[in-house]
Amino acid sequence: MWLLKVFSVIYFTACAAQDPYDVSTMSGYVSPTSPLPMITIYEPPVPSLQLQSEWSDVFPSEKVELSCSVTGSSDWTFTWYRNTQLQEPDPNVSLSPEGSKLTITAATQTHSGSYSCKAHHKTKSVTTKSSNSVKLTVYANKPKPTLTRRSNFDKMFPGESVTFTCKVDVASGWVYLWYHKVTDEIPAHNNNAYTIASIDHPNSGQYHCKAKRGKDPFYTEESDTTFLQVSDPPKPSLELLSSWPDVFENETVEFRCEVHSTDWTFTWYRNQKDLNKELMEDMYMEEDDSLLNVTVVTQAYKGDYACKAHLDSRRVSSGFSNTVNVTLYENVPKPTINKVPGFNPMYAGETVNLNCNVDVSSGWKYQWYKDGIELRATNETNSIHLALSDQGRYWCKATRGEIISTDFSEEIQQYVLEIPIPSLKLITPWFHVFPTESVKLSCGMDGSPNWIYTWYKHGQEVQADDVVSFDSNGATLFIRSASAKHVGQYNCKGHLNDRSVGSNFSSGLTLNVYDEKPRVTLTQDPKYRVMFPGESVSFSCHVNVSFGWKYVWYKNSYPSIASGINYSLNSVETTNRGSYACRAERGSDPSFLTDSSQTIRLEVEGNKPKPLLTQQPDVEKVYTGELVSFQCKVELSSGWRYHWYKDGKQLPINSSSFEIHDANLSNGGTYKCMAIRDKTMYNTQYSDERLLHVSEIPVPSLKLITPWLDVFPTESVKFSCGMDGTADWNYRWFKDKQPVQADSTASFGLDAATLSISSASASHHGRYSCSGKFKSRDVTSNCSDGLTLDVYDTKPRVTLMQDPIHNVMHTDDSVSFSCHIIVSSGWEYRWLKDGSRLTETGNNHTIKSVARTNTGSYQCQAKRGRDTVFSSDQSQAVRLDVEERPQANIILLTGWSEVFSTDSLVLRCGVHESQNMWNYTWFKEGQPINLQPSEKHAVTPQNDPEQSLYTCQGIRTGRPSYSRSSDYFKTKNLLLKRRVLLSISGCIFFGIIAVFLGCIILRVIRKPADGEEKPEEAELFLTMAQLKNRDDAPCPLVEYITDAELNASSKEADDNGTICSETTPLPITSQEDQVVTSENQDGTEKNGGLVSFK
């Protein structure tokens, strides 16, 4: 600091020694003694805020522009405020480069408020007051126009007028857009009212509107739609209320004109002439003109009548209605009479239609007469279902209304006869027939050949088909091949040819037809399928229904000479082998032959049979307690009784089989059998012998497949059960003598030979055993020896320990973790750090030299098993915190002022960022120096002639017990460099003193010219206030001091291998140095400025 003051004095003294005029001409310099110019102070102008867009009340997404300006000047920038708060950045708000224009591109409600601005001078620190304010209102939603319609009828008619009105209730400046049929814009109609002076059908449809405003138009919502329906006026309907349009003189005609709506009036026309203008005497109308009545028709009233409808309140008229033509006849006609059919006579039950007809007009009612008596019939056609009483003479006449009546028609005569009854006869001799037999019936009517006959069965008509046929007029019914469908009561009816005359039914005949042909039964006694030579046999043939049967015998489908009901063979031979059958027949032309009986095959075997002996189960060895059955069977024929033998002795058994229910060792032996025919006493050979072995049931062997019988919850267990040397067994499992059932955790392998418990729990604890069951037989072994499974209540607890037990470790320390489970065996271990898996697998994890990366939470976990791995829960977490070992540093204590007075350097060792007490060990070229631990170490040319590398290390009794070694410190040529640097500095200092003295001498020697005005002597130094008010005074000293070269790192530090600059702390030993240091701090606090000596 004292050097800075000396340089300042020298600089200003040199400047003062120059020519006074030269000093005053320095750039920006004004002598403090010069007269000061007059300064005028103005009040800053107030900016003007204007709304550039047209409206201050806007809607969402509408654009707003505001401008701020200062009249007559462009040297200003602007700041904007909303509600007196500085406008915050907003993506929808943009400013012009100098801030004179604020644009809100898409307004929202958050932009509502009072806006103002302030101006700031570009070159001067001048800020104006706030401008006038503009209040901006932003509505929450777009407005929706209201659409109304005048002449608001549901239906409008062509030529009427309609006006639509669109209105937006908020804001102003709206231009209206009109739309027809949703998307079609109506051009050139921007007013809020749209009028159609004369509507037509194309104007039908939906109408709506919306509004817009602004250059970049803002559009409102669309209004609700209103529908305009343009329809033609309804066409009136003309209805003739009287019964007929063609009339006779003096009859009445009445019309009605209708429109399916109210408020309509009517106008009447005849031959398209308005009747309202020429109403005749016998014509009148109702009040609303909807009815027209002509009371007495004459020739003058003929013509086409029509009407029109009028809606007077809206000046609308319809077109013409439909027309009705009124025709007038001059004379009353005479009716004609006829009858259908024209047969005469007719039979009772026939229907005759008598027709009375008037050829002109309509609406006639008819009166009928028989033999001069009026009948009830009034229709044009009189239909009569004839009886004998209906015979007689008929005529008619016609009437219409109360005044019109015709003359009588001509007469017509009708005769009526009774219908005869036909006779039914049976031609074939019997009513009980069999399928395929024929039947013939006849039907006849005495004395008339013109009848056709119809046959009925149970009231249903019989139709001809491929079995049923009739002769030419149906008088004979022939059933060629009867079947069950022909069963029933038959009768017949006669029909007169070409007439609707039918007789009553004849008497009935019932025909019975069996469902099928009679069944012929063939029996054999005895009923042996196979016979042996010398045995006798007899066959019998029977038909159990009807009578008159003859029998025919067949052997191998060929007829034989036997004809009776029985056929016997007293001593069979092999030549009698064959198939035997019989049939029955009756009748002739054609005869009826039954189907053949069932065939009985007679086999005659020449050799004695040998029984087949079988055993169940069909095995060489059975187990005690099993069921063993034997069966003896002769494959040929039947009727055998059996004899049994064991070890050559007959057993008291005659059936074809016998059973040993609970086999034991004594049932073993050799078994055989033979058979004897029960009726003929014919005996077979002995069967083959069968040897039976009976053995004891083996006991299964239970084994544990998994290594442990003491397991933990969720661990898997597997047992096996087996019989030595065989796979013929299924197995059952028991726990504490109770059957084990498969569930979600317990399952069985093939044949249940293994029991797997996928996730053990306390419920699986117990003694397990198994038993075997033979797969193909009902054989069950005793239970095996038991194995006891112990299941712990909980998973094993894993214990994690740390050695040494320190909360904080330091880098390069060694630490070891151990993991233990005190129950069971077979454990493998896995290690985790902060939840991530480590590679170590043993129960110990050792870190020989910890680093900061080893900081974390350590856990371990145990597992065992191969196919299904069981894992314990993770141990408790042990937190390992690793801190950097403190760093030792070497500081040079020898100061600049001591370089000329000493030949040694003093080094000090310290541990940074540590509050602990340390001792220090010194090292030279990596080897310890054999001295007492000390904070300082002196280096002299005697003890370090080669300028070696030095390091130090802190040591202490607590943790950490030692620090990291310091960086190397090199002492080579350090004293010499400092001495050279101080010599150069001295030369520079004395050179500056010489320049200072030269300036003083020049100022004394040089005198101003005579007559020249001597300027007032200026002060050498400016005061702090003058310096602060001037920003144009150059300060070369400051420029020199802040030169970047002075901030460059010292080359000396580079040579020593450590950073050693002027900021390296040196011990302050003298009071003068302490004063300089204090002044330096004061100068720094005052930003390095020079203070006047005043």
Side-chain angles (χ1 to χ4, degrees):
M1 185 66 192
W2 63 274
L3 287 175
L4 182 61
K5 289 184 177 182
V6 171
F7 291 154
S8 300
V9 171
I10 295 171
Y11 169 74
F12 284 107
T13 303
C15 292
Q18 295 180 11
D19 193 305
Y21 297 101
D22 293 337
V23 173
S24 64
T25 59
M26 295 176 62
S27 175
Y29 178 78
V30 179
S31 173
T33 59
S34 299
L36 297 175
M38 293 296 292
I39 298 175
T40 304
I41 299 175
Y42 295 98
E43 187 72 25
V46 177
S48 172
L49 175 61
Q50 293 181 347
L51 178 66
Q52 297 296 313
S53 49
E54 300 182 43
W55 306 278
S56 61
D57 48 347
V58 296
F59 298 91
S61 76
E62 203 167 1
K63 184 177 179 181
V64 179
E65 290 186 356
L66 300 170
S67 68
C68 188
S69 61
V70 173
T71 305
S73 175
S74 60
D75 297 332
W76 299 86
T77 61
F78 301 91
T79 304
W80 291 84
Y81 298 84
R82 181 168 62 85
N83 297 331
T84 70
Q85 300 296 321
L86 185 64
Q87 175 66 39
E88 297 179 353
D90 189 327
N92 292 324
V93 177
S94 62
L95 298 174
S96 61
E98 295 181 352
S100 62
K101 181 180 289 186
L102 180 144
T103 303
I104 302 173
T105 56
T108 63
Q109 273 199 299
T110 59
H111 297 117
S112 295
S114 179
Y115 284 80
S116 60
C117 62
K118 288 183 179 181
H120 309 277
H121 202 277
K122 293 181 181 178
T123 60
K124 301 177 182 178
S125 300
V126 177
T127 299
T128 68
K129 294 180 180 180
S130 294
S131 68
N132 58 301
S133 62
V134 172
K135 184 177 181 180
L136 179 66
T137 302
V138 182
Y139 293 97
N141 300 305
K142 286 185 176 183
K144 183 176 181 178
T146 301
L147 177 62
T148 58
R149 189 181 95 186
R150 190 157 47 85
S151 295
N152 197 20
F153 299 109
D154 291 339
K155 290 183 179 179
M156 301 290 290
F157 302 109
E160 290 191 281
S161 173
V162 66
T163 299
F164 298 95
T165 302
C166 189
K167 183 178 181 182
V168 179
D169 294 330
V170 293
S172 59
W174 300 107
V175 175
Y176 293 89
L177 305 174
W178 292 92
Y179 296 88
H180 178 215
K181 295 181 180 178
V182 181
T183 58
D184 297 339
E185 183 175 352
I186 301 172
H189 286 281
N190 295 328
N191 297 326
N192 69 327
Y194 172 52
T195 300
I196 305 174
S198 179
I199 63 174
D200 205 346
H201 291 289
N203 300 120
S204 292
Q206 289 186 335
Y207 288 81
H208 72 274
C209 66
K210 65 180 180 181
K212 68 176 182 179
R213 68 177 186 177
K215 296 178 181 178
D216 297 326
F218 167 77
Y219 293 92
T220 66
E221 300 282 354
E222 293 182 349
S223 70
D224 294 331
T225 60
T226 183
F227 186 78
L228 176 64
Q229 181 179 355
V230 181
S231 304
D232 286 326
K235 182 178 180 180
S237 173
L238 177 59
E239 180 184 3
L240 179 67
L241 297 181
S242 51
S243 301
W244 41 83
D246 45 352
V247 295
F248 298 93
E249 286 189 353
N250 300 322
E251 284 192 290
T252 300
V253 179
E254 188 174 10
F255 302 95
R256 179 168 61 198
C257 191
E258 286 184 320
V259 173
H260 296 295
S261 182
T262 58
D263 301 330
W264 292 83
T265 59
F266 303 93
T267 304
W268 291 90
Y269 296 84
R270 183 171 62 85
N271 299 328
Q272 297 189 348
K273 292 183 179 180
D274 190 350
L275 290 178
N276 291 26
K277 299 178 180 179
E278 52 179 30
L279 277 177
M280 290 183 280
E281 180 179 357
D282 296 319
M283 184 182 295
Y284 68 91
M285 301 177 185
E286 296 289 339
E287 291 184 2
D288 60 354
D289 299 332
S290 62
L291 293 177
L292 174 64
N293 196 327
V294 181
T295 56
V296 179
V297 177
T298 62
Q299 289 291 334
Y301 293 101
K302 292 191 301 182
D304 293 325
Y305 286 80
C307 63
K308 282 186 178 181
H310 309 279
L311 189 60
D312 296 332
S313 60
R314 293 165 60 180
R315 299 180 180 178
V316 174
S317 296
S318 73
F320 281 105
S321 69
N322 56 302
T323 61
V324 174
N325 180 264
V326 175
T327 304
L328 182 65
Y329 297 101
E330 295 182 359
N331 300 315
V332 178
K334 179 180 179 178
T336 59
I337 187 171
N338 61 67
K339 79 181 189 77
V340 179
F343 303 117
N344 214 351
M346 297 182 70
Y347 290 96
E350 282 191 280
T351 299
V352 64
N353 293 319
L354 302 175
N355 297 315
C356 188
N357 184 39
V358 177
D359 295 333
V360 295
S361 194
S362 60
W364 299 102
K365 292 183 180 180
Y366 296 89
Q367 294 175 350
W368 289 91
Y369 300 87
K370 174 180 175 285
D371 298 332
I373 300 173
E374 185 176 352
L375 302 177
R376 293 183 178 179
T378 59
N379 294 328
E380 181 180 358
T381 299
N382 183 9
S383 183
I384 304 172
H385 189 69
L386 293 174
L388 294 176
S389 61
D390 293 319
Q391 181 173 299
R393 294 178 298 115
Y394 292 85
W395 65 88
C396 67
K397 74 173 183 178
T399 61
R400 187 169 80 171
E402 297 179 355
I403 60 174
I404 302 300
S405 178
T406 69
D407 294 334
F408 287 106
S409 69
E410 302 293 335
E411 294 181 359
I412 201 166
Q413 179 71 43
Q414 180 64 55
Y415 298 98
V416 181
L417 301 176
E418 192 70 53
I419 301 173
I421 296 175
S423 174
L424 176 62
K425 296 178 181 180
L426 178 64
I427 298 175
T428 51
W430 48 67
F431 294 102
H432 299 276
V433 296
F434 295 94
T436 73
E437 276 193 283
S438 62
V439 179
K440 186 179 286 188
L441 303 173
S442 68
C443 187
M445 194 81 74
D446 293 338
S448 178
N450 296 324
W451 292 87
I452 296 175
Y453 299 93
T454 304
W455 292 85
Y456 295 87
K457 181 175 68 114
H458 293 313
Q460 300 295 322
E461 185 177 351
V462 178
Q463 302 292 335
D465 55 24
D466 56 348
V467 175
V468 178
S469 61
F470 308 98
D471 60 5
S472 59
N473 62 349
T476 302
L477 167 64
F478 178 67
I479 302 175
R480 181 174 55 81
S481 178
S483 64
K485 68 180 182 179
H486 298 118
V487 173
Q489 186 180 53
Y490 285 81
N491 48 27
C492 61
K493 289 176 70 173
H495 301 272
L496 200 57
N497 194 16
D498 298 329
R499 300 270 294 276
S500 59
V501 176
S503 71
N504 290 328
F505 285 103
S506 68
S507 57
L509 289 175
T510 299
L511 177 67
N512 292 318
V513 181
Y514 293 98
D515 293 337
E516 57 186 12
K517 286 185 177 183
R519 183 175 182 182
V520 181
T521 304
L522 177 62
T523 59
Q524 174 188 344
D525 184 34
K527 297 180 180 179
Y528 298 149
R529 187 167 58 87
V530 178
M531 304 293 291
F532 297 93
E535 292 187 286
S536 62
V537 65
S538 176
F539 298 99
S540 296
C541 194
H542 301 279
V543 176
N544 295 326
V545 294
S546 199
F547 53 90
W549 300 107
K550 296 178 182 180
Y551 297 94
V552 182
W553 289 92
Y554 299 86
K555 177 187 175 186
N556 296 329
S557 301
Y558 292 101
S560 69
I561 57 175
S563 60
I565 193 172
N566 295 316
Y567 178 62
S568 299
L569 298 173
N570 294 323
S571 179
V572 299
E573 301 293 339
T574 55
T575 56
N576 298 124
R577 183 185 297 123
S579 297
Y580 291 83
C582 66
R583 299 178 74 179
E585 66 176 347
R586 74 174 183 179
S588 60
D589 192 27
S591 65
F592 172 72
L593 186 65
T594 66
D595 292 335
S596 178
S597 69
Q598 83 279 13
T599 299
I600 295 179
R601 176 71 183 177
L602 179 63
E603 294 289 346
V604 180
E605 183 65 37
N607 299 320
K608 274 192 174 186
K610 183 178 181 180
L612 175 65
L613 176 60
T614 59
Q615 173 191 328
Q616 289 295 331
D618 188 13
V619 293
E620 294 181 358
K621 180 175 66 175
V622 297
Y623 295 101
T624 55
E626 277 195 275
L627 173 65
V628 182
S629 65
F630 293 96
Q631 186 175 28
C632 188
K633 186 176 181 182
V634 179
E635 297 293 341
L636 297 174
S637 195
S638 60
W640 303 101
R641 286 187 294 109
Y642 295 89
H643 295 276
W644 291 89
Y645 302 87
K646 177 193 175 197
D647 298 330
K649 295 181 181 180
Q650 186 173 353
L651 300 175
I653 302 170
N654 293 322
S655 63
S656 62
S657 63
F658 80 95
E659 295 179 345
I660 302 173
H661 287 280
D662 191 5
N664 54 48
L665 298 178
S666 64
N667 295 126
T670 302
Y671 291 82
K672 66 180 180 179
C673 66
M674 68 171 290
I676 298 176
R677 186 86 84 172
D678 54 357
K679 291 185 178 181
T680 63
M681 301 306 293
Y682 182 83
N683 64 288
T684 68
Q685 302 179 48
Y686 285 102
S687 70
D688 294 331
E689 295 180 341
R690 185 84 185 208
L691 180 62
L692 177 65
H693 294 284
V694 182
S695 302
E696 293 287 347
I697 302 173
V699 178
S701 173
L702 175 61
K703 295 180 182 179
L704 178 67
I705 298 176
T706 50
W708 308 279
L709 275 171
D710 54 337
V711 296
F712 298 91
T714 73
E715 196 168 8
S716 63
V717 182
K718 193 170 186 179
F719 297 96
S720 70
C721 187
M723 295 285 190
D724 293 337
T726 178
D728 296 330
W729 296 82
N730 289 325
Y731 299 93
R732 296 183 63 195
W733 290 86
F734 302 89
K735 180 173 74 74
D736 298 331
K737 298 183 179 181
Q738 298 298 319
V740 176
Q741 304 293 335
D743 56 21
S744 59
T745 58
S747 61
F748 303 107
L750 180 65
D751 300 332
T754 59
L755 167 62
S756 298
I757 301 174
S758 61
S759 179
S761 64
S763 64
H764 297 114
H765 174 82
R767 188 168 183 82
Y768 287 80
S769 60
C770 64
S771 67
K773 183 181 182 303
F774 211 75
K775 289 182 179 179
S776 58
R777 309 203 304 268
D778 189 16
V779 178
T780 302
S781 74
N782 292 328
C783 284
S784 68
D785 295 333
L787 289 176
T788 300
L789 178 66
D790 292 322
V791 182
Y792 293 97
D793 293 336
T794 60
K795 285 188 176 183
R797 182 176 180 183
V798 184
T799 303
L800 176 61
M801 301 179 65
Q802 175 186 340
D803 182 34
I805 305 175
H806 295 308
N807 293 333
V808 178
M809 304 295 290
H810 294 83
T811 52
D812 301 330
D813 280 347
S814 174
V815 65
S816 178
F817 298 96
S818 61
C819 191
H820 300 283
I821 290 181
I822 61 175
V823 293
S824 198
S825 59
W827 298 106
E828 297 179 5
Y829 296 89
R830 64 165 66 106
W831 292 87
L832 301 99
K833 176 195 170 193
D834 297 330
S836 299
R837 180 85 177 270
L838 300 178
T839 58
E840 285 76 2
T841 58
N843 68 326
N844 290 314
H845 173 44
T846 301
I847 306 173
K848 293 182 178 180
S849 178
V850 298
R852 291 294 297 276
T853 57
N854 297 123
T855 297
S857 179
Y858 289 81
Q859 291 175 284
C860 66
Q861 190 177 23
K863 67 173 184 175
R864 68 180 184 182
R866 293 184 179 179
D867 296 334
T868 303
V869 177
F870 168 75
S871 298
S872 70
D873 293 334
Q874 294 178 357
S875 69
Q876 83 281 8
V878 174
R879 178 70 186 179
L880 178 64
D881 291 317
V882 180
E883 295 182 356
E884 284 288 347
R885 190 172 295 278
Q887 173 74 50
N889 291 292
I890 295 178
I891 300 174
L892 177 65
L893 295 182
T894 303
W896 287 88
S897 59
E898 300 176 79
V899 296
F900 293 103
S901 61
T902 181
D903 287 335
S904 64
L905 293 176
V906 179
L907 307 178
R908 185 175 68 187
C909 187
V911 177
H912 279 239
E913 299 179 359
S914 176
Q915 303 299 325
N916 299 316
M917 298 296 295
W918 294 87
N919 288 325
Y920 301 93
T921 302
W922 291 86
F923 298 86
K924 175 181 173 184
E925 298 293 341
Q927 300 297 322
I929 300 175
N930 190 17
L931 295 172
Q932 288 293 328
S934 173
E935 181 182 10
K936 298 179 181 179
H937 178 68
V939 180
T940 64
Q942 292 75 21
N943 62 15
D944 188 18
E946 297 182 0
Q947 293 82 34
S948 303
L949 296 175
Y950 287 86
T951 60
C952 69
Q953 186 180 45
I955 57 175
R956 59 191 293 269
T957 56
R959 287 184 45 78
S961 60
Y962 63 93
S963 72
R964 286 191 293 159
S965 296
S966 68
D967 295 330
Y968 287 104
F969 189 90
K970 194 171 185 180
T971 61
K972 185 177 182 180
N973 295 329
L974 183 60
L975 289 174
L976 177 62
K977 289 180 180 180
R978 287 193 173 186
R979 288 174 179 173
V980 171
L981 182 60
L982 286 176
S983 301
I984 294 172
S985 300
C987 294
I988 292 173
F989 173 74
F990 286 111
I992 291 172
I993 295 298
V995 172
F996 175 71
L997 294 176
C999 289
I1000 294 175
I1001 294 170
L1002 286 174
R1003 184 175 179 80
V1004 173
I1005 294 174
R1006 186 174 181 177
K1007 298 292 184 177
D1010 294 339
E1012 291 182 357
E1013 185 180 354
K1014 185 178 180 179
E1016 186 178 349
E1017 186 176 350
E1019 293 188 40
L1020 182 60
F1021 296 104
L1022 299 177
T1023 64
M1024 284 297 297
Q1026 290 172 333
L1027 286 174
K1028 288 181 179 179
N1029 290 332
R1030 297 183 58 183
D1031 56 1
D1032 56 350
C1035 191
L1037 183 60
V1038 173
E1039 294 177 2
Y1040 174 79
I1041 293 173
T1042 58
D1043 197 302
E1045 294 180 358
L1046 295 181
N1047 294 330
S1049 299
S1050 143
K1051 187 176 182 181
E1052 176 185 344
D1054 297 336
D1055 294 337
N1056 285 314
T1058 185
I1059 298 174
C1060 184
S1061 66
E1062 290 299 331
T1063 60
T1064 302
L1066 296 176
I1068 300 174
T1069 56
S1070 66
Q1071 184 176 0
E1072 180 181 358
D1073 289 342
Q1074 293 177 0
V1075 172
V1076 172
T1077 302
S1078 174
E1079 291 177 353
N1080 188 21
Q1081 292 174 354
D1082 294 341
T1084 302
E1085 292 175 358
K1086 296 175 183 178
N1087 299 320
L1090 297 179
V1091 181
S1092 173
F1093 292 151
K1094 289 183 180 182

